[in-house]
Amino acid sequence: GAGVSQTPSNKVTEKGKYVELRCDPISGHTALYWYRQSLGQGPEFLIYFQGTGAADDSGLPNDRFFAVRPEGSVSTLKIQRTERGDSAVYLCASSTGLAGLDTQYFGPGTRLTVL
Amino acid sequence: DAKTTQPNSMESNEEEPVHLPCNHSTISGTDYIHWYRQLPSQGPEYVIHGLTSNVNNRMASLAIAEDRKSSTLILHRATLRDAAVYYCILRDGSGGSNYKLTFGKGTLLTVNP
């Protein structure tokens, strides 16, 4: 079946611009996660949704970062006033949400480059 | 959170077994040991997990030390497709924020043809 998809696969923007990154989870998965991966590092947790609500946004680095999931399916990660330090691969994952340790299925990521 | 320690890199030959170690000396009694791997230019994918007993699945085996302070992911016959970064992750089975996957730098496995 279809896995997690993310669009765009690559995004190049200029410092100070606004960007939106989209995640389409596996159908029926109620839990959705965003992670950020800098070069040479493992992914770092950003935010976790259970249904439409953000259950944990403690990983968002500052108030320039915001994520929504209005209908409990697709999620959008929004970054305002981008900075060069925001350059990274942004990964989305989803899971059934039925168990605390359920397997997370990751998308291929969006590579964001801020010039 | 309990931490894990893995070698930065390992090398193997195709069709030979690979043993990827992970140390987790501060593991708690409710922590499950999970392994994910990340192929080049892809997101991480689940490999295997266990609590106390050794585990096998179609991808790999997980050997857990009796004191649970270390574990080993075993790929029985490495293929070129197994070249990836392998992450050993602890997840608290008692709840809390166990939905978060806390990745370290992992082990970069190179498989030689």
Side-chain angles (χ1 to χ4, degrees):
Chain A
V4 177
S5 62
Q6 294 186 243
T7 53
S9 56
N10 281 284
K11 176 71 178 178
V12 180
T13 190
E14 293 180 344
K15 179 175 178 295
K17 299 289 189 184
Y18 168 83
V19 296
E20 289 189 350
L21 311 179
R22 176 186 168 107
C23 172
D24 280 86
I26 292 172
S27 178
H29 279 191
T30 61
L32 185 144
Y33 317 80
W34 284 98
Y35 293 81
R36 179 168 73 171
Q37 186 170 24
S38 300
L39 194 62
Q41 307 294 316
E44 292 181 299
F45 169 83
L46 294 178
I47 187 168
Y48 157 55
F49 286 90
Q50 183 58 255
T52 60
D56 183 352
D57 64 358
S58 63
L60 294 178
N62 52 59
D63 61 6
R64 295 186 298 105
F65 288 74
F66 190 72
V68 296
R69 195 185 184 200
E71 297 179 357
S73 178
V74 171
S75 177
T76 305
L77 179 65
K78 308 180 180 194
I79 310 174
Q80 298 178 322
R81 304 183 304 280
T82 52
E83 300 177 357
R84 293 195 179 89
D86 299 334
S87 296
V89 175
Y90 289 81
L91 294 161
C92 176
S94 70
S95 69
T96 61
L98 299 176
L101 298 181
D102 55 351
T103 297
Q104 295 184 19
Y105 298 87
F106 284 80
T110 293
R111 181 175 298 279
L112 175 66
T113 303
V114 182
L115 301 177
Chain B
D1 293 337
K3 292 185 177 178
T4 63
T5 305
Q6 299 177 253
N8 290 335
S9 61
M10 290 186 67
E11 205 166 319
S12 174
N13 295 320
E14 202 174 7
E15 298 189 4
E16 290 184 356
V18 182
H19 291 231
L20 297 163
C22 181
N23 286 320
H24 28 77
S25 59
T26 60
I27 191 170
S28 74
T30 56
D31 283 334
Y32 284 75
I33 302 156
H34 286 242
W35 285 80
Y36 279 71
R37 71 179 185 181
Q38 188 170 20
L39 303 172
S41 301
Q42 295 189 28
E45 65 175 349
Y46 168 81
V47 178
I48 200 167
H49 77 278
L51 182 62
T52 56
S53 303
N54 295 344
V55 184
N56 299 295
N57 66 21
R58 64 174 181 81
M59 289 180 72
S61 296
L62 177 60
I64 301 173
E66 197 167 333
D67 64 4
R68 300 207 328 122
K69 292 182 185 295
S70 65
S71 60
T72 302
L73 180 70
I74 302 166
L75 307 179
H76 295 285
R77 287 179 72 245
T79 69
L80 296 178
R81 196 195 172 278
D82 291 321
V85 177
Y86 287 78
Y87 297 99
C88 171
I89 299 167
L90 299 182
R91 299 184 74 184
D92 185 357
S94 66
S97 57
N98 62 3
Y99 46 81
K100 291 184 193 179
L101 294 179
T102 302
F103 293 85
K105 290 190 176 182
T107 297
L108 174 63
L109 175 66
T110 301
V111 180
N112 299 314

